[in-house]
Amino acid sequence: DRQAGQLVESQPKTLFVPSPIIYVTGNTRKEEEKTLKEMFGSTGPYKCPVYKYSLRTDKHLIFFVNLKCTQEKNPNKWALRGVSLLCNT
């Protein structure tokens, strides 16, 4: 859901959905832990893998991005579904 800024179920029979542009920055681990608690609350974010190619291996993994989840659907649900992002360059 682009307006709410969180992961939601896709439409039936839709495998690929474009995501909004994601601004990527680096930070230290201490800053990240503090930010995670402030921004995502007790459930935490879904640490979504971002791949360079559609072949999902460690070789093509670029980084992880933290995505906000709804209260009803926690991060484990999205991990079990195998949700990931694919770069388009």
Side-chain angles (χ1 to χ4, degrees):
D1 184 11
R2 288 180 186 220
Q3 292 180 357
Q6 50 188 319
L7 285 174
V8 294
E9 294 287 337
S10 65
Q11 298 297 321
K13 298 185 180 183
T14 305
L15 290 177
F16 299 99
V17 179
S19 70
I21 295 173
I22 298 173
Y23 179 69
V24 179
T25 60
N27 57 357
T28 63
R29 190 169 299 261
K30 288 181 182 179
E31 289 176 359
E32 182 178 0
E33 290 173 3
K34 180 181 169 188
T35 304
L36 289 178
K37 289 178 184 177
E38 291 174 1
M39 290 181 66
F40 301 107
S42 61
T43 59
Y46 168 55
K47 295 186 184 228
C48 182
V50 180
Y51 294 98
K52 187 172 183 178
Y53 302 110
S54 59
L55 185 62
R56 295 169 59 167
T57 64
D58 289 345
K59 183 177 179 181
H60 303 297
L61 177 68
I62 302 173
F63 60 92
F64 289 91
V65 63
N66 295 322
L67 299 178
K68 191 173 186 178
C69 303
T70 61
Q71 291 294 332
E72 302 84 36
K73 298 177 180 167
N74 63 13
N76 294 333
K77 173 189 170 46
W78 303 110
L80 290 171
R81 289 202 168 188
V83 173
S84 66
L85 295 176
L86 181 61
C87 286
N88 184 11
T89 56

